[in-house]
Amino acid sequence: MTNELDIFVGNTTLIDEDVYRLWLDGYSVNDAVALRVRSGILEQTGATAAVLQSDTMDHYRTFHMLERLLHAPPKLLHQLIFQIPPSRQALLIERYYAFDEAFVREVLGKKLSKGTKKDLDDISTKTGITLKSCRRQFDNFKRVFKVVEEMRGSLVDNIQQHFLLSDRLARDYAAIVFFANNRFETGKKKLQYLSFGDFAFCAELMIQNWTLGAVDSQVDDMDVDLDKEFLQDLKELKVLVADKDLLDLHKSLVCTALRGKLGVFSEMEANFKNLSRGLVNVAAKLTHNKDVRDLFVDLVEKFVEPCRSDHWPLNDVRLFLNQYSASVHSLDGFRHQALWDRYMGTLRGCLLRLYHD
Amino acid sequence: MPGKLKVKIVAGRHLPVMDRASDLTDAFVEVKFGNTTFKTDVYLKSLNPQWNSEWFKFEVDDEDLQDEPLQITVLDHDTYSANDAIGKVYIDIDPLLYSEAATVISGWFPIYDTIHGIRGEINVVVKVDLFNDLNRFRQSSCGVKFFCTTSIPKCYRAVIIHGFVEELVVNEDPEYQWIDRIRTPRASNEARQRLISLMSGELQRKIGLKVLEMRGNAVVGYLQCFDLEGESGLVVRAIGTACTLDKLSSPAAFLPACNSPSKDMKESPLVHPPSHGCRSTHNSPIHTATGSRLTQNFSVSVPTLIYTGMGSGSAGKEGGPFKALLRQQTQSALEQREFPFFTLTAFPPGFLVHVGGVVSARSVKLLDRIHNPDEPETRDAWWAEIRQEIKSHAKALGCHAVVGYSESTSICEEVCILSASGTAAVLNPRFLQDGTVESCLEQRLEENLPAGCGFCHIPYDELNMPFPAHLTYCYNCRKQKVPDVLFTTIDLPIDATVIGKGCLIQARLCRLKKKAQAEANATAISNLLPFMEYEVHTQLMNKLKLKGMNALFGLRIQITVGENMLMGLASATGVYLAALPLPGGIQIAGKTPNDGSYEQHVSHMQKKINDTIAKNKELYEINPPEISEEIIGSPIPEPRQRSRLLRSQSESSDEVTELDLSHGKKDAFVLEIDDTDAMEDVHSLLTDVPPPSGFYSCNTEIMPGINNWTSEIQMFTSVRVIRLSSLNLTNQALNKNFNDLCENLLKSLYFKLRSMIPCCLCHVNFTVSLPEDELIQVTVTAVAITFDKNQALQTTKTQVEKSLQRASTDNEELLQFPLELCSDSLPSHPFPPAKATSVDYSSFADRCSSWIELIKLKAQTIRRGSIKTTVTVEKASPMNEGNFRNRSAPPCANSTVGVVKMTPLSFIPGAKITKYLGIINMFFIRETTSLREEGGVSGFLHAFVAEVFAMVRAHVAALGGNAVVSYIMKQCVFMENPNKNQAQCLINVSGDAVVFVHESELEVVSSQPPTANCQSSCPGGDVTT
């Protein structure tokens, strides 16, 4: 006796959160049944394995049917086929678009192309996330990217509007889209210590201050592309390290202000010129796409690592960066104060976030 | 030309991509009614076209308005080749034809294609201007209201219940016409859908005419069915109960009517045309078509059963004269009718006087092509024959009426089993006729019929019983005689005193039969039927005893015929009626008592059975009060049951042969396990597992013993098909497979709905079909309703007290009764504080955008303030579950706007039905030629059932409703051909579209005692019992 056909359809679509999680995680029906058995559900409910199998199949079928709608969440809200309470709809969408930290770190900043998709096998092996789940997450990134890529208006708002995600998740997706578009390198070994959150934080600051949208809210791609003009202008900052007088003056201003307040004052004093050169050169190089991609590598190499090797406490880093940025306003010969603030304001935030073990 | 139909096509959305090159669609719409067609402009290159058409106006006869569906076809314009159809919407405009129902149909309808399923939606507005010519009105049957509900609908009052109406229409099935060989499957499916829609409309109109002829204004308990007879044609038949209903618009309007019922009745004079009150229009004698095959009139009638609990008993003295009088009275009212049948299962208080027992009749027929669709005499004659038989069975039980009446068919190839069943009953004539009844007699009658047990008293004369019956004095009133067991097809009367809770009881049975042709086949089937009936009956009895209960309600026995087997499935709700005697136990006896080990085995089994009975009594809280022995004689009557089989031949239905249903001369409840068969029986008794704790199930409207429902309901349909291994099929193996199939299905349901505990599965409706040789298909539709556990812990004692109290105070309450007439039986419950403020069904888009807002809002609430991105894999999932659920609770309740509830029950817990919008009766065909791609048979059917639900909901929403009550899936015919990667399914559903308001939103004056909010809240008004 075999079940040829076995379905259950409720007027209100039944959603089992645990099974949904298993489905999202890419487990096959049999694996999911095994995992559910292990969770002790049979003992709790007195059900048999056959019942569990049938139940799991049924949910998987429902999810499979819902998946098409989840690709365009507003459709899920307007469709008439599945009657799902709004709270459940929100849960379905939010969970579907949620992603694994391990996975996002692998693809962050990579081009969301077929090439990358081919690497998903390796990522799956490396992270232990099922290939199916990797595919779903990758396709989500790509789908969101494609939809909002060339759209006018705030990136986060666009994502929220078209995918009905929570504010937090929409911000995360904004970071993913921003990174994918600018192809920032995040995979280098020395960047491994950084979490997705670190990058997402930086992305948000950069979107707010360095993109076209930061100056004009009516342009296409405003939040996705960096403000080219701004990047060109950053070359002007070079004078801060090229002009020896200016550099010395800057250093003395910072040292005077921080004397006695910094635990690592002597190290700072000794390293000032190196650090300043590093930070200003990063800015000057941003005209080239290749160097934009290496932004985070450069920041870690030129600033985070030197400070870390001298064991700067985070608070000292904060004091230094504040003073370093502010002192420039007292340099009479320097005319690009606004530019400096736009650059350094964001960079300071990023560096503080990036500075940890 | 009494009507003008106006249609406006507003917009479409989510259309499929029809042009691969542009990924867009150039859509336009054809609106067709009758032979007139209008077209909208082509809306170029859009998946969300905005047509905003003018009003298309059709000037039509009201006859056409009733028969024809409005047909809307969405097409993709193609300059070079033929336009491609995207899909269709059929709209039944019948609800617009009666004044009290919907005034406009407006909303988003799924665009349905029989091959692709739902493909986007279309926004349509439909209106009807009827000429204010009331006379014209009367001549068509526009204005007759139809209800699927098998009780008097809430917010109506029955002035007169006229009785049975029936009609059938036949046609050739388009699927079997010659043209089907050359047309596409889509064209053939659409022809079928359209034809059935037309036939339903015609049928409804004809029934309506009969109702008008009887001076009624409504049909309650309307049940329409299709018989797909294959080559021989397509039959659409319907039965119902004609009534004169009064709308309870305000208490003031009702009060006078209540106080002077006779006056009210005179206002709507009732004339029963003496000879054709509810006669079929094709009621000619059996017609023999000239040149027909010999088989044309071949028919085998099958012995039929009258179920009652019976034994031997002494004659009572008091009841006699009343019964005789009552009988005379009712007789005069009912005998004028050809068939005194009522499709109702719940009645106004006082309507039901006595219940005799279940009567059923079956007949095996050979189908032959219907030669002339306009003259469906053969089918009419078949049914007339069966009904006649039912009527005579009822008479044998001393009853003049049959309530809870239903008809069904099972067809396999050219063999068809027609079945009819109901409950023989004695009714209070007052509802049936205007006030010729002597009131003094009534008074006396009512005084002698205590509430809660009156209906159990035997209607037949003890001195002249049609069969040996075991009678005792009623355990409630001690005045009248009652049988020891009572089987009925109706719902538990609201005033019945029940001890403990009820439960679903099923008898399941398979019998192999040889494959045969024509007459041989029909003979084989009719030879098997009596044995099946007998065994189903025995199983039901045994299971009932095992549960420690003494009555069955809602009994439905389905016999299904397949090529090589017959299946029997009986479902009913068992209860313990306080009025009936304590059920005896089950005793097991071995045939060879000398064998020691065997005896041990027997005693072991006996112990197991006794334990089960004790456990069940505890589980269902059956603790009947101790009864002083003097009154009853012996506290536990000898467990004895003798049923009798009334056999009748259709050729000579007056000649009745009798068959003893009991096991020879032995006590029926001594089970002899002398062979393997009997062993199997005992085993199968014990294998039925009770539902897990927190779950109850019944197949009646509500669960006896639970009365504190909360508002959460979940209606569902579950379908299972199993393939039997064709090797060594034996009856035992078959029985086991079938039993397992049903039990596993129930287990799955309990598991799936575990989050609703404590809850009750109500109106559990099993349907069995045998689509192919080795396939068994079981379809279940039911509703799970949650209830409040704390309040449920009422002791049986207080329940009994309450009902006694109710009985004594009934008269006083009656005066206040009208004020509470519309309220539901359910106590109001604390409801989520949030309320749906305004319900605007016409603007679905608004509703959805507000959903979007809602979701966004909620999502933000969840995440607000937590900037830090989580680090671990687990936390990377974006929400904290607990938090999410807590926060989302209030908006969830808020969003009840737009939700359409569906339930097979006639009410919605925690809510009050304020308006009936019309009947929903829909028929869909879905076919696929890419079965594998659609997820196999399960994927295909899952999607289809979901689509059917969606289309029902959309139609209800467009009518301005928010629920469907008395919903049933009447047919789910599934056929597959995996080798060709094909499958086809036909589904027929119906129900009543209603508007309901949550009780918490009504300012209900709760000063009324809860007993007044009885379940059928629109009683005849003046009757006390």
Side-chain angles (χ1 to χ4, degrees), chain B residues 52-336:
Chain B
N52 257 321
S53 79
E54 55 184 303
W55 284 99
F56 299 123
K57 293 180 183 117
F58 301 86
E59 297 179 335
V60 278
D61 273 346
D62 47 0
E63 197 176 304
D64 286 341
L65 280 173
Q66 283 192 291
D67 288 5
E68 294 269 350
L70 175 67
Q71 183 180 325
I72 294 166
T73 314
V74 186
L75 299 112
D76 176 51
H77 177 75
D78 204 321
T79 321
Y80 304 106
S81 59
N83 299 325
D84 294 326
I86 295 171
K88 286 189 186 228
V89 180
Y90 291 97
I91 300 176
D92 180 10
I93 49 172
D94 212 48
L96 294 179
L97 302 181
Y98 23 99
S99 47
E100 291 154 43
T103 52
V104 63
I105 299 177
S106 166
W108 289 100
F109 291 88
I111 302 167
Y112 181 72
D113 178 71
T114 60
I115 305 294
H116 293 102
I118 289 177
R119 306 170 96 189
E121 290 117 39
I122 183 167
N123 194 318
V124 182
V125 185
V126 186
K127 285 180 180 173
V128 173
D129 286 344
L130 278 172
F131 285 17
N132 272 342
D133 182 352
L134 282 171
N135 278 334
R136 284 295 302 209
F137 229 82
R138 280 287 164 199
Q139 279 171 26
S140 77
S141 62
C142 281
V144 173
K145 293 180 279 289
F146 285 79
F147 301 92
C148 294
T149 302
T150 56
S151 56
I152 301 303
K154 318 281 183 287
C155 68
Y156 285 96
R157 184 178 77 89
V159 179
I160 309 171
I161 298 173
H162 299 274
F164 192 57
V165 277
E166 51 77 34
E167 184 63 270
L168 65 81
V169 289
V170 297
N171 212 315
E172 272 187 84
D173 191 337
E175 183 104 338
Y176 294 88
Q177 284 165 344
W178 67 270
I179 196 172
D180 203 56
R181 288 180 203 158
I182 52 167
R183 66 180 165 192
T184 61
R186 174 182 285 120
S188 148
N189 291 338
E190 281 173 3
R192 252 177 139 185
Q193 284 193 169
R194 197 183 128 67
L195 177 70
I196 287 188
S197 188
L198 258 171
M199 288 169 78
S200 316
E202 187 193 336
L203 194 70
Q204 213 168 312
R205 180 174 55 81
K206 284 185 169 171
I207 292 247
L209 281 171
K210 289 185 174 185
V211 172
L212 290 177
E213 202 177 295
M214 297 165 87
R215 303 288 174 97
N217 64 5
V219 181
V220 180
Y222 184 68
L223 178 70
Q224 190 192 64
C225 290
F226 301 98
D227 296 331
L228 300 167
E229 296 186 352
E231 294 271 338
S232 58
L234 201 135
V235 177
V236 186
R237 57 189 165 81
I239 54 174
T241 306
C243 295
T244 302
L245 297 183
D246 249 10
K247 176 123 176 124
L248 297 168
S249 46
S250 67
F254 178 78
L255 270 166
C258 173
N259 293 338
S260 58
S262 54
K263 177 188 140 224
D264 195 69
M265 285 178 193
K266 274 172 205 142
E267 277 167 7
S268 50
L270 170 69
V271 178
H272 288 295
S275 61
H276 57 99
C278 46
R279 225 176 79 174
S280 156
T281 47
H282 312 287
N283 207 1
S284 55
I286 296 171
H287 157 86
T288 320
T290 43
S292 64
R293 285 199 280 144
L294 181 71
T295 54
Q296 170 89 24
N297 282 325
F298 181 89
S299 93
V300 184
S301 181
V302 166
T304 28
L305 293 183
I306 300 177
Y307 293 135
T308 40
M310 281 158 280
S312 61
S314 57
K317 281 165 194 164
E318 283 109 303
F322 285 121
K323 278 194 190 112
L325 270 171
L326 186 68
R327 190 166 301 124
Q328 274 171 18
Q329 243 176 55
T330 340
Q331 215 153 9
S332 60
L334 288 168
E335 277 197 342
Q336 298 165 8

Side-chain angles (χ1 to χ4, degrees), chain B residues 972-988:
Chain B
C972 177
V973 184
F974 179 74
M975 288 157 286
E976 56 168 325
N977 189 342
N979 296 331
K980 284 188 177 168
N981 206 17
Q982 283 176 343
Q984 193 193 35
C985 186
L986 297 86
I987 286 181
N988 178 213

Side-chain angles (χ1 to χ4, degrees), chain A residues 89-112:
Chain A
Q89 289 183 343
L91 176 133
L92 285 172
I93 296 166
E94 197 76 2
R95 292 260 177 93
Y96 189 79
Y97 282 90
F99 47 82
D100 292 316
E101 167 82 14
F103 177 80
V104 74
R105 280 296 281 107
E106 292 296 324
V107 295
L108 190 66
K110 284 194 181 135
K111 199 173 171 190
L112 299 173

Side-chain angles (χ1 to χ4, degrees), chain A residues 1-19 21 36 41-42 44-48 50-65 68-69 73-103 127 129 157 160-169 171-172 195-198 200-201 204 353, chain B residues 13-14 108-110 118 121 692 713-725 736-738 740-741 744-745 747-749 751-755 775 844-845 847-849 851-856 858-860 862-864 866-874 876-879 881 884-885 888-889 891-892 895 898-902 933 935 937-943 945-947 949-951 953-954 974 976 978:
Chain A
M1 187 182 84
T2 47
N3 280 355
E4 269 292 285
L5 184 158
D6 178 9
I7 60 155
F8 175 99
V9 189
N11 184 37
T12 305
T13 306
L14 280 184
I15 308 286
D16 186 308
E17 287 178 42
D18 299 329
V19 183
R21 163 71 38 78
R36 292 182 83 187
I41 195 163
L42 294 186
Q44 281 165 34
T45 58
T48 61
V51 165
L52 205 59
Q53 173 88 20
S54 141
D55 180 65
T56 312
M57 288 272 274
D58 216 58
H59 283 300
Y60 266 53
R61 209 163 34 236
T62 308
F63 298 144
H64 181 74
M65 285 190 259
R68 188 178 53 86
L69 299 163
K75 267 193 188 166
L76 184 69
L77 268 68
H78 289 99
Q79 56 84 30
L80 304 176
I81 298 177
F82 302 97
Q83 186 159 270
I84 305 171
S87 64
R88 289 267 140 173
Q89 289 183 343
L91 176 133
L92 285 172
I93 296 166
E94 197 76 2
R95 292 260 177 93
Y96 189 79
Y97 282 90
F99 47 82
D100 292 316
E101 167 82 14
F103 177 80
T127 58
I129 299 164
D157 288 353
Q160 261 191 306
Q161 198 185 332
H162 287 89
F163 293 92
L164 310 177
L165 304 180
S166 67
D167 187 51
R168 182 66 252 157
L169 195 57
R171 281 169 201 277
D172 287 350
S195 72
F196 170 72
D198 296 335
F201 180 85
E204 200 171 338
R353 177 78 193 219
Chain B
R13 67 181 181 200
H14 304 148
W108 289 100
F109 291 88
I118 289 177
E121 290 117 39
I713 64 170
Q714 167 71 291
M715 188 283 296
F716 60 85
T717 291
S718 184
V719 184
R720 257 185 208 194
V721 176
I722 57 161
R723 184 175 289 280
L724 304 159
S725 51
K736 189 175 178 320
N737 279 331
F738 183 40
D740 288 351
L741 169 61
N744 290 339
L745 188 48
K747 277 185 209 159
S748 271
L749 299 181
F751 180 77
K752 280 203 170 287
L753 298 163
R754 63 192 186 284
S755 66
L775 296 183
F844 191 82
R847 194 162 85 209
C848 285
S849 62
W851 278 12
I852 301 181
E853 286 304 314
L854 197 78
I855 287 188
K856 282 205 289 192
K858 193 153 61 264
Q860 277 168 1
I862 297 158
R863 298 301 296 263
R864 186 178 301 143
S866 61
I867 297 294
K868 193 165 181 279
T869 309
T870 46
V871 180
T872 63
V873 175
E874 258 182 62
S877 82
M879 73 199 81
E881 280 184 46
F884 185 88
R885 249 183 260 130
S888 61
C892 178
S895 71
V899 169
V900 175
K901 291 195 175 190
M902 289 167 78
E933 294 77 358
V937 285
S938 295
F940 169 71
L941 195 60
H942 191 146
V945 173
E947 283 173 345
F949 286 3
M951 287 184 277
R953 288 192 303 256
F974 179 74
E976 56 168 325

